[in-house]
Amino acid sequence: MTKIILYTGKGGVGKTSIAAATAVLCARRGMRTLVVSTDIAHSLADALDAPVGPTPREIEPNLWAHEPDVFFNISRYWKTIQSYFSSLFSWGGLDEVMAEEMTVLPGMDELGNLLWIGDHVDQGMYDLIVVDAAPTGETVRLLSLPEASRWWIEKIAPIGRRVQKLGGPVLRRIVGVPLPSEEVYEAGEHLLDRLKYVHDLLADPEQSTVRLVLNLERVSIQEAERSFTYFHMYGFPTDMIIANRVLPAASGSYFDAWREAQARYLPLVEQSFAPVPVRTIPFFDKEMVGVERLNELGRALFGDGDPHQFAYRGRPYSVAREDGGYVLSLELPFTTRDEVSLSRSGDELVLQVGAWRRNLVLPRLLLDAPTRGAKMEDRVLRVRFGEPLRVPAGGSSNG
C-alpha cells in the first residue's frame, strides 16, 4: 500500500523544504518515493535545486519529483467541461482566445494538482508519496470539496439531465444557448468522483497522514491551531507537529529575545497539541537547498527513525452507547462551544466551526435515532442521541 504524507502550514514556515527533506531521506533509505507539490506557487524545484516538470522526474535513485502545471491538468481532467464553457463564453460574445482563457476557472489549478495524488496511487510505482501542499486554508478548502460536491451530484445534476433530455433541443432553438450534453455531465461526475477518491485516500488513517509545520511565533501557532481543528473536523488524521527554525542556545546575544520567546512557546505548543507529538528542527546557519542539504535537514528532524512511520493515530470521531442512548464524540481542539453550530438534515449532521462547514454523514446506527443535544467537554464535541426507533444489528460504530 502506498503511504501518503501531506505537509502543510502557514506560508513561509518551511513546509516545502521539510517535505522535500522527508522524501530525500526516505529515498536514500530504500523507499521508492515521490514528492509532489499541490501549491500553485511551486517552490519544490528551488528546494531540490533540480529541474522538475509537469510529470514526475527522477532526481536520484528512488526519488522522483513532480510540479503539476495548470494547462496540463486541464487537458487531463477538465477538457470536456472546458470545451462546453468555451462554447458558452463564445456564444456570449467573447472571441475564441478570450473564451479559452476564461475556462481556466479559479481553483482549477489546485484541484488538478490534488487529483494527481490519486493517479500516482493507482499507478502503484511508489512506496511513499510526500505532498508539499498549499498553505493550510487552501488545503482545507480543497479537501472539503468532495462533501460539497455530493450535493451537486445528488440534487442539481439529475435536474439538469432531465431538462437536457426533455427540452434541450427546444431550448436551444428558442434561446440559442449551448446546453451541456450528457458527456459534460458524465465528465463532471467523473471529476468529482476522482476528487472523492483522493479525499478518501487522505482520510484513511492506515494510509495517509497530515503533518503541520509551524514556527514558534504567535501568528504561526494560531494558524496551526485553527488548521488542526479543521483537519479533525473533516476527519483527516494528523500525526505530527513540526516546529521549524528553533534557535540553538549558542545563537548569540542578538537573538536573545527571539530565543526566549521560542523557549516560552515550545512547551505551550507541546501541551496544546498533545497527544500528537511535536518535533523540532534547528535554525541552520546556511540555506538548506539541494538534495545533500535536504538529507541533512531530514536527519535533523527524524534522526535514525523512520520518517514514513506515523507517529500518532487517533480517531476523528466515535460513537458509543451511553445512558440508554448513544453519544457521538468528535475532537475539536482549540474550539469553544460558542464557535460551534449544529443542525441535522436527514442522515447528516451539519457542523459549522467558524467559517467552515462539514456535512457529517451519520453512521447507520444513528439514522433513526433522535438528537437529544450537544455540549463541549475537554476539547471534544459530544452529540447525544436517543434510542433508535429501529435498532440495527450491532451495538456501536466508529467513524
Side-chain angles (χ1 to χ4, degrees):
M1 179 173 62
T2 303
K3 282 192 172 182
I4 304 169
I5 300 173
L6 187 147
Y7 284 96
T8 187
K10 191 177 185 301
V13 296
K15 62 180 178 58
T16 298
S17 297
I18 294 171
T22 302
V24 170
L25 193 61
C26 289
R28 292 192 171 186
R29 292 180 178 178
M31 299 186 71
R32 293 173 60 85
T33 305
L34 170 73
V35 56
V36 56
S37 172
T38 64
D39 189 346
I40 59 172
H42 295 307
S43 55
L44 184 58
D46 300 329
L48 291 165
D49 195 23
V52 179
T55 56
R57 182 187 183 99
E58 188 170 12
I59 305 299
E60 63 176 34
N62 286 330
L63 178 64
W64 290 261
H66 182 199
E67 287 184 340
D69 172 80
V70 58
F71 291 103
F72 191 93
N73 289 346
I74 286 173
S75 66
R76 185 179 179 90
Y77 299 112
W78 184 246
K79 194 64 180 175
T80 302
I81 303 170
Q82 182 198 33
S83 298
Y84 166 68
F85 278 112
S86 181
S87 66
L88 187 62
F89 290 140
S90 296
W91 172 85
L94 295 177
D95 62 52
E96 186 175 341
V97 174
M98 180 63 75
E100 184 80 6
E101 290 295 319
M102 288 288 288
T103 58
V104 184
L105 302 178
M108 283 309 302
D109 36 8
E110 299 106 313
L111 181 60
N113 294 348
L114 197 65
L115 290 169
W116 270 105
I117 297 172
D119 291 352
H120 290 317
V121 169
D122 289 345
Q123 289 168 8
M125 289 181 56
Y126 310 106
D127 302 315
L128 174 68
I129 297 173
V130 180
V131 182
D132 170 30
T136 44
E138 294 298 310
T139 299
V140 173
R141 180 176 61 85
L142 282 175
L143 295 180
S144 66
L145 274 176
E147 291 188 352
S149 65
R150 193 163 65 91
W151 179 85
W152 185 88
I153 292 176
E154 293 178 354
K155 303 294 195 302
I156 300 301
I159 295 173
R161 277 180 156 156
R162 285 198 296 270
V163 170
Q164 166 66 20
K165 289 179 179 178
L166 298 175
V170 175
L171 285 174
R172 270 195 298 269
R173 284 197 299 270
I174 294 174
V175 298
V177 179
L179 296 177
S181 64
E182 181 67 18
E183 289 76 15
V184 172
Y185 285 110
E186 288 177 355
E189 291 180 358
H190 176 70
L191 187 71
L192 296 175
D193 284 344
R194 290 299 295 176
L195 184 59
K196 183 181 183 304
Y197 173 61
V198 174
H199 173 280
D200 292 344
L201 286 174
L202 295 175
D204 183 351
E206 300 301 319
Q207 186 163 10
S208 303
T209 195
V210 174
R211 292 176 179 172
L212 282 169
V213 182
L214 56 83
N215 296 149
L216 293 175
E217 301 165 352
R218 177 177 295 179
V219 173
S220 179
I221 294 169
Q222 289 175 336
E223 169 87 3
E225 289 176 347
R226 284 191 294 269
S227 303
F228 191 67
T229 298
Y230 298 143
F231 284 124
H232 271 261
M233 174 179 167
Y234 285 103
F236 297 107
T238 304
D239 83 310
M240 190 181 298
I241 309 297
I242 299 167
N244 192 23
R245 303 178 184 137
V246 178
L247 289 168
S251 53
S253 60
Y254 180 82
F255 297 100
D256 280 351
W258 188 4
R259 187 171 55 249
E260 290 170 5
Q262 289 189 340
R264 290 195 307 271
Y265 282 131
L266 181 57
L268 296 176
V269 168
E270 291 173 336
Q271 181 181 4
S272 298
F273 288 98
V276 177
V278 177
R279 295 194 179 184
T280 61
I281 301 176
F283 193 103
F284 289 91
D285 60 358
K286 53 185 177 290
E287 285 189 292
M288 306 308 286
V289 174
V291 291
E292 295 303 328
R293 294 280 174 84
L294 291 172
N295 187 62
E296 182 183 350
L297 177 64
R299 291 190 63 83
L301 175 59
F302 296 105
D304 294 328
D306 292 328
H308 71 285
Q309 292 297 330
F310 300 156
Y312 172 77
R313 293 287 80 173
R315 292 182 299 180
Y317 70 87
S318 62
V319 177
R321 179 174 282 280
E322 188 175 303
D323 298 332
Y326 294 87
V327 174
L328 183 150
S329 300
L330 173 67
E331 291 185 14
L332 291 177
F334 312 109
T335 306
T336 64
R337 179 64 184 91
D338 294 339
E339 298 174 279
V340 179
S341 174
L342 275 174
S343 62
R344 183 173 179 178
S345 176
D347 63 347
E348 295 182 345
L349 193 67
V350 182
L351 169 65
Q352 183 157 341
V353 179
W356 296 93
R357 176 179 295 180
R358 182 188 181 190
N359 288 49
L360 182 67
V361 179
L362 293 172
R364 183 172 60 91
L365 179 71
L366 301 180
L367 294 184
D368 297 305
T371 310
R372 298 302 190 198
K375 61 180 177 178
M376 291 287 293
E377 291 181 349
D378 192 25
R379 309 198 309 176
V380 176
L381 175 66
R382 290 167 52 84
V383 185
R384 293 185 295 107
F385 294 84
E387 191 71 31
L389 301 178
R390 298 189 304 273
V391 181
S396 64
S397 176
N398 292 327

